[in-house]
Amino acid sequence: MTDGVIMKKQQQIIFWLCSVAAFLALLHFLSEIMLPFIVGMAIAYILDPVADWLERKRITRTLATTLILFTFFIFAAAIFTMLFPLLQRQVVELFALFPRVIETLRLEIFPWLMDVFEDLPPDTLNNIRSAAKEFAGGGLQLMSKFASNILSSGMAFFNLLSLILITPVVAFYLLRDWDLITEKIDSWLPRRAASIIREQLSAINQTLAAFVRGQLYVCLILGIIYGASLTIVGLNSGLLLGLGAGLISFIPYFGAAVGLAAGLIIAFFQFSDWLPLLLVASIFTIGQTIESYILTPRLVGEGIGLHPVWIIFALLSGGSLFGFTGVLLAVPIAAIIGVLGRFLISRYLKSPLYDDSLSSS
């Protein structure tokens, strides 16, 4: 390999590294306003196969986009309108349970703790008091920071309004021009490496489609199963808890764990016997089993190359670096890194860096 070719490859590597760094920096500085654009892009990506199917039925892309998005948003608004009064009432029921929680703590938990503390040495009690004060202070700081982050990163009124108004517009134009955008990006690819890049982009698309669309179906099904089952058991705020646990099930095992813990706490203070607690535990155990052995293998697929630990790490890293916008982008970026990582490893295994004998052949 001549010096000129090596220099050209080094220049290409530097160019792409600088491009990625610039993109991440831009994403960091604009993360607070990117939410409606990312949500609109996600909607367009999910609904693009439907638009392609309608195009094959000789319906124009603009008309297909209009029909799809109109149906999508009307359906979403109808579901929200039907569920909002019920969920609002369940939130009220959940807060109405707090006095009973406080009464139970006062009459049962605190006397038991006092009995335990009476047998402890004074030095140990002082250490416990100081640790409790530090924990309480840290908790208040964490709560205030969390509240300020919510108000500044997507849940403030202006950002919520922009999400409602801008997302449909972004989704419409991206869905209508999706094929044109992909063709334009394809025309920008380096000609010599275009076929390799297309192959990797196809693998990324297959991974994303399998995970995002499949996981969406899994979350919806689990939300319905959890919500209906907890409602039948008679758990206060069962529908709210079940839907919430289902919707956060895109984080592996997290939805079932949070739902189980919250369900057991509510059932403990709501009921006076152990049967409801066993039923709540059974619901989430059965739901997690159905997800692991039926829903995920059939709807998501086991060969997508996204390990649960990698997904959890990506979500936590994205949230830490870019807030809620980073959480939304975590899985796509994880899929891209996973595909490119496997490609680079395959190249490395075929190179002299791995096997010296290859340099002589």
Side-chain angles (χ1 to χ4, degrees):
M1 188 177 293
T2 64
D3 293 339
V5 175
I6 294 175
M7 184 174 297
K8 183 179 293 186
K9 286 187 175 295
Q10 291 176 344
Q11 291 174 347
Q12 290 177 340
I13 293 173
I14 293 173
F15 169 77
W16 287 112
L17 290 177
C18 292
S19 299
V20 172
F23 170 76
L24 293 176
L26 186 65
L27 181 64
H28 175 72
F29 289 116
L30 300 179
S31 59
E32 293 186 0
I33 66 170
M34 289 293 291
L35 183 59
F37 297 94
I38 293 174
V39 174
M41 185 183 299
I43 293 173
Y45 177 77
I46 292 171
L47 298 178
D48 177 63
V50 182
D52 292 338
W53 180 79
L54 290 176
E55 272 194 300
R56 291 194 292 269
K57 300 297 181 180
R58 301 184 181 279
I59 298 177
T60 63
R61 184 76 180 194
T62 301
L63 180 58
T65 300
T66 303
L67 292 174
I68 293 170
L69 290 180
F70 180 79
T71 304
F72 176 82
F73 285 110
I74 289 296
F75 180 75
I79 295 295
F80 178 79
T81 303
M82 288 187 297
L83 290 180
F84 181 76
L86 180 59
L87 295 178
Q88 186 180 30
R89 187 172 69 249
Q90 296 211 347
V91 170
V92 173
E93 292 177 353
L94 184 61
F95 279 99
L97 190 63
F98 284 175
R100 185 170 180 178
V101 174
I102 296 173
E103 188 69 11
T104 303
L105 291 174
R106 186 179 68 85
L107 296 178
E108 298 181 17
I109 306 298
F110 288 162
W112 176 77
L113 289 176
M114 293 300 297
D115 292 338
V116 173
F117 289 155
E118 285 180 355
D119 298 331
L120 296 177
D123 293 340
T124 305
L125 286 175
N126 291 330
N127 293 333
I128 292 175
R129 289 193 186 98
S130 61
K133 290 180 180 179
E134 293 178 2
F135 178 78
L140 290 175
Q141 291 180 358
L142 183 63
M143 290 177 64
S144 62
K145 183 179 179 181
F146 178 73
S148 63
N149 288 337
I150 288 178
L151 292 175
S152 63
S153 63
M155 291 304 293
F157 176 76
F158 176 77
N159 288 337
L160 183 61
L161 187 63
S162 68
L163 179 66
I164 295 173
L165 297 179
I166 296 176
T167 298
V169 178
V170 174
F172 175 82
Y173 284 108
L174 287 179
L175 183 57
R176 189 193 66 176
D177 301 332
W178 191 268
D179 293 339
L180 297 177
I181 294 172
T182 54
E183 289 177 5
K184 178 61 68 175
I185 294 175
D186 182 81
S187 67
W188 294 340
L189 298 179
R191 294 298 91 188
R192 179 173 296 181
S195 60
I196 298 176
I197 296 176
R198 290 192 193 104
E199 181 181 349
Q200 301 311 308
L201 289 177
S202 176
I204 291 171
N205 179 61
Q206 291 177 3
T207 301
L208 274 180
F211 183 85
V212 175
R213 297 184 181 119
Q215 198 64 48
L216 178 63
Y217 297 142
V218 171
C219 290
L220 290 176
I221 293 173
L222 286 177
I224 294 172
I225 292 174
Y226 290 149
S229 301
L230 294 175
T231 301
I232 293 173
V233 170
L235 188 72
N236 283 346
S237 306
L239 180 61
L240 178 67
L241 176 62
L243 291 177
L247 292 179
I248 62 174
S249 293
F250 66 93
I251 306 176
Y253 310 110
F254 186 71
V258 171
L260 175 61
L264 289 177
I265 292 173
I266 296 174
F268 177 79
F269 288 103
Q270 179 183 348
F271 302 102
S272 58
D273 56 2
W274 291 97
L275 180 59
L277 276 76
L278 294 176
L279 291 176
V280 170
S282 300
I283 288 171
F284 285 101
T285 302
I286 294 172
Q288 183 61 45
T289 303
I290 293 174
E291 175 193 358
S292 300
Y293 293 99
I294 299 177
L295 295 179
T296 298
R298 289 181 177 273
L299 298 178
V300 180
E302 298 177 344
I304 61 173
L306 292 177
H307 194 276
V309 175
W310 176 234
I311 296 173
I312 295 173
F313 175 78
L315 291 169
L316 293 178
S317 301
S320 175
L321 294 174
F322 305 109
F324 187 64
T325 302
V327 174
L328 294 178
L329 290 175
V331 171
I333 293 177
I336 293 172
I337 294 175
V339 171
L340 295 182
R342 288 191 293 272
F343 171 72
L344 292 176
I345 290 175
S346 67
R347 285 299 184 93
Y348 162 72
L349 295 176
K350 297 177 182 178
S351 70
L353 293 174
Y354 175 73
D355 189 352
D356 292 339
S357 63
L358 297 175
S359 58
S360 59
S361 59

